């Protein structure tokens, strides 16, 4: 079967780009999808990226994927962005630390689990960079609901 990621948006996609991520030949191919949207009529461009990192026990693959994705996404320092997806890594892991210098985790603490699980913490994360409070407020005013702020 096929494998991939997707993005659903209430706003028109102005640009879309796939980024293959590093993966060993014996693992599923991994990718990310970055789209550009404008959250309201005259608003600035926002880049939104969805991804799903390797789930193997060895974090080396996820670290390589995080390093490559971070390199690709911060090449244009002036464009605000949201990165969301299953990073298959806990909050305080080396994988998440790769993003620390360029991104802010919108939920910097693990919430209590909704259902009992043997795995502590979460592996799905939403990170943001260069988003301004006034940009979020403008999107809420224009749309009436915090659309892109609900990235999960």
């Amino acid at each position: 079967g096929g494998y991939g990621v997707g993005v659903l948006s209430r706003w028109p996609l102005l640009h879309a780009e796939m980024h293959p991520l590093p993966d060993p030949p014996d693992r599923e191919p991994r990718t990310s999808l970055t789209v550009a949207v404008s959250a309201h009529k005259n608003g600035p461009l926002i880049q939104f990226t969805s991804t799903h990192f390797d789930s193997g026990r060895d974090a080396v693959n996820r670290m390589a994927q995080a390093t490559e994705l971070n390199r690709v996404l911060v090449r244009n320092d002036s464009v605000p962005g949201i990165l969301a997806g299953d990073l298959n890594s806990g909050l305080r892991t080396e994988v998440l630390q790769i993003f620390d210098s360029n991104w802010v985790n919108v939920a910097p603490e693990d919430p209590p689990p909704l259902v009992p699980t043997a795995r502590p913490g979460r592996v799905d994360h939403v990170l943001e960079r260069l988003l301004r409070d006034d940009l979020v407020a403008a999107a809420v005013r224009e749309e009436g609901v915090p659309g892109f702020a609900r990235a999960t």
Side-chain angles (χ1 to χ4, degrees):
Y3 177 84
V5 295
V7 172
L8 299 175
S9 175
R10 70 181 324 145
W11 301 293
L13 302 182
L14 304 174
H15 178 76
E17 187 175 348
M18 298 233 350
H19 307 286
L21 298 175
D23 56 291
D26 63 331
R27 304 291 298 164
E28 292 177 327
R30 299 296 173 149
T31 189
S32 68
L33 173 62
T34 299
V35 300
V37 299
S38 181
H40 55 93
K41 210 182 299 185
N42 298 315
L45 198 63
I46 300 169
Q47 103 183 348
F48 181 92
T49 301
S50 173
T51 194
H52 187 175
F53 285 179
D54 184 71
S55 62
R57 293 184 187 272
D58 188 355
V60 172
N61 296 339
R62 290 186 296 284
M63 290 174 65
Q65 291 166 352
T67 300
E68 174 62 10
L69 187 56
N70 193 48
R71 183 192 69 77
V72 167
L73 295 179
V74 298
R75 67 179 175 227
N76 183 347
D77 280 343
S78 65
V79 178
I82 297 170
L83 167 59
D86 183 346
L87 304 184
N88 274 309
S89 301
L91 191 57
R92 289 170 182 74
T93 61
E94 292 179 33
V95 174
L96 267 286
Q97 289 173 1
I98 290 169
F99 296 105
D100 282 350
S101 62
N102 296 297
W103 299 85
V104 174
N105 196 319
V106 301
E109 298 299 325
D110 279 328
L114 296 174
V115 294
T117 177
R119 290 175 61 174
R122 68 180 192 279
V123 296
D124 300 320
H125 299 276
V126 178
L127 311 175
E128 64 91 1
R129 64 185 297 273
L130 305 174
L131 285 181
R132 303 181 324 257
D133 289 340
D134 62 324
L135 177 64
V136 174
V140 171
R141 259 193 323 275
E142 175 88 6
E143 299 295 327
V145 295
F148 70 86
R150 292 181 293 151
T152 57

